[in-house]
Amino acid sequence: WMSPYNRVPEIREACVPRSNVTVCDTTMREGEQAADVNLGLETRLEMARRLSDLGIRQIQVGYPGRSLLDGETICRIKAAKLPVLVEALAQVFQADWKHQIDAAIESGADSIDLLYPSSDLRLKWVQQVTREEMLARSVEAIRYAAGRGPIVRFAPVDTTRTDLAFLRTVYTAALEAGAERISVADTA
């Protein structure tokens, strides 16, 4: 499946390759989403060392507000002084979103990725909220996290199935609220 937006002429023309690209490795987080995969702390630290040795400059660890192991992993990677940015995630669509942001900041993460689904499908059937509610919570969470230390990145989950006009509104609001980075999350 490929987003229909990939074929829009103005989108294709605007896709200019950048010379300054940061690869953010998500193996640690994504890998543990597979059945029967549980990486221990030492395995995670060795993975971070090896990724650093390969030249990866950003590692996405996980959800310190949901997992003590993720928080400890971030603390230990930071203590090892590896030349990588360490990213934590917070699901701002959850009731405990402030706790998740606080835990990410307390872990010492360099970057925090705030997640909220944005496609009408996910908003209606999974989150059971309106676009307006999604946008209000996202802005509130970005403002809550901004200026507290880490780089704030906002990722509207299921981006490629989001209505393009609404997505522009979301990105504009995220940047105005203090997000330093915005992402396209091709969940599908």
Side-chain angles (χ1 to χ4, degrees):
W1 187 87
M2 185 166 57
S3 168
Y5 297 130
N6 290 350
R7 294 181 182 89
V8 175
E10 18 329 334
I11 300 289
R12 292 179 66 91
E13 291 166 9
C15 290
V16 178
R18 307 269 181 187
S19 59
N20 183 10
V21 174
T22 300
V23 174
C24 178
D25 187 273
T26 62
T27 306
M28 201 173 297
R29 179 187 61 80
E30 292 279 356
E32 284 203 329
Q33 291 180 357
D36 297 326
V37 175
N38 294 298
L39 305 172
L41 182 60
E42 293 307 317
T43 300
R44 289 164 161 242
L45 296 173
E46 181 61 22
M47 182 184 293
R49 281 189 212 73
R50 289 185 184 204
L51 288 168
S52 175
D53 290 346
L54 287 170
I56 299 298
R57 294 295 164 243
Q58 187 165 333
I59 300 171
Q60 190 178 85
V61 174
Y63 303 86
R66 293 265 179 235
S67 164
L68 293 175
L69 179 59
D70 289 351
E72 178 65 18
T73 301
I74 292 169
C75 290
R76 294 280 300 274
I77 292 171
K78 296 301 295 175
K81 299 193 183 305
L82 298 175
V84 296
L85 290 174
V86 182
E87 183 174 75
L89 295 97
Q91 298 169 319
V92 299
F93 54 87
Q94 298 285 348
D96 68 343
W97 63 271
K98 285 184 179 180
H99 163 74
Q100 290 190 49
I101 291 172
D102 292 340
I105 292 168
E106 290 165 11
S107 74
D110 300 296
S111 176
I112 181 171
D113 187 4
L114 305 179
L115 308 171
Y116 203 121
S118 59
S119 70
D120 288 329
L121 287 170
R122 295 283 298 267
L123 293 177
K124 180 177 181 178
W125 299 108
V126 180
Q127 306 315 133
Q128 298 179 346
V129 298
T130 65
R131 287 179 175 185
E132 293 75 20
E133 290 169 316
M134 173 272 179
L135 190 57
R137 170 70 65 82
S138 299
V139 165
E140 183 181 7
I142 292 165
R143 287 184 178 146
Y144 184 77
R148 295 184 57 203
I151 297 165
V152 175
R153 178 164 71 101
F154 182 69
V157 177
D158 208 19
T159 312
T160 58
R161 292 193 296 185
T162 301
D163 173 73
L164 193 53
F166 179 58
L167 187 59
R168 285 184 181 133
T169 300
V170 169
Y171 281 148
T172 300
L175 292 169
E176 289 173 355
E180 296 171 66
R181 297 177 180 173
I182 52 176
S183 299
V184 173
D186 189 7
T187 310

